[in-house]
Amino acid sequence: MSTPQAEQFTVATEFRVASGEQPSMQLVADLSAACAAAEEAAGHQPLVLYLGGAETERTESVEVDVHVVNKWERALRRVERIGAVTVAVAQGTCTGAALEALLCCDHRIAIPGTVFALPVLGATPWPGMALHRLTTQLGIARARQLSLLAPQLTADRAVELGVVDELTDDPDAALAALLSRVGEVAPAELAVRRQLLLDAATTGFDEALGAHLAACDRTLRHERGVTPAEPFPQPQW
């Protein structure tokens, strides 16, 4: 039987990035709108990113420059810090902006046969923040192998390395099962723990201790009924 919280996960805020799609102002606007919708739902709607698959239907002529890249990276950072569950569902070829978005999600589902590849410009690996995320998530040795020596990852290898969390022929069922599991945990609490994980890669123990103690105190006070559950403060964009 699903919990009351899990029942609130019946509707998802969706965002799609097609196979090989590059960052654009339209893509930034669409992702920002999806984040805003998830934030307005106070975390009770998961943000689901469908990545890869059919080629893009966007008609905008993509002229990527540093200004667009900066806007796109800030939108991805918003995904990483959002007070909602974030899930990526990948299929086909997942590269370009699709792979960059995948690396920002809490849970990553892929259909067997999916191929993952780092963004490239011509024949050169794109030096975007995907390299940074791969390094913080997998370690420098594996990130070096992927970014410099391995142009593509199979779905099985992606799971083995931890780039993807699960493979399934039925992503809808996998998504429903995941949301049922996390439904008992307040989205705000998930967001707090995600932020602690993100900060751990660049923060020393002594510096991080205060933030972890504050999170522990928050949890203990809520469990004892001293204070009501507080919403996760949304960053100012």
Side-chain angles (χ1 to χ4, degrees), residues 157-182:
R157 182 60 173 158
V159 171
E160 181 182 339
L161 291 174
V163 175
V164 169
D165 297 301
E166 64 176 306
L167 294 181
T168 178
D169 289 312
D170 192 345
D172 291 337
L175 178 60
L178 169 69
L179 297 180
S180 178
R181 292 198 303 273
V182 302

Side-chain angles (χ1 to χ4, degrees), residues 1-2 8 24 30 38 43 69 102 113 116 123 153 155 179 192 201-202 226 233:
M1 178 180 297
S2 61
Q8 293 177 325
S24 66
D30 289 349
V69 173
L102 176 114
F116 300 88
L153 277 181
L179 297 180
V192 169
T202 57
V226 177

Side-chain angles (χ1 to χ4, degrees), residues 3 5-6 9 46 85 87 176-187 190:
T3 66
Q5 180 94 28
F9 280 150
V85 177
V87 185
L178 169 69
L179 297 180
S180 178
R181 292 198 303 273
V182 302
E184 297 181 1
V185 182
L190 288 175

Side-chain angles (χ1 to χ4, degrees), residues 184-201:
E184 297 181 1
V185 182
E189 296 305 316
L190 288 175
V192 169
R193 284 147 183 75
R194 184 201 301 126
Q195 191 61 51
L196 293 173
L197 287 169
L198 290 172
D199 292 343

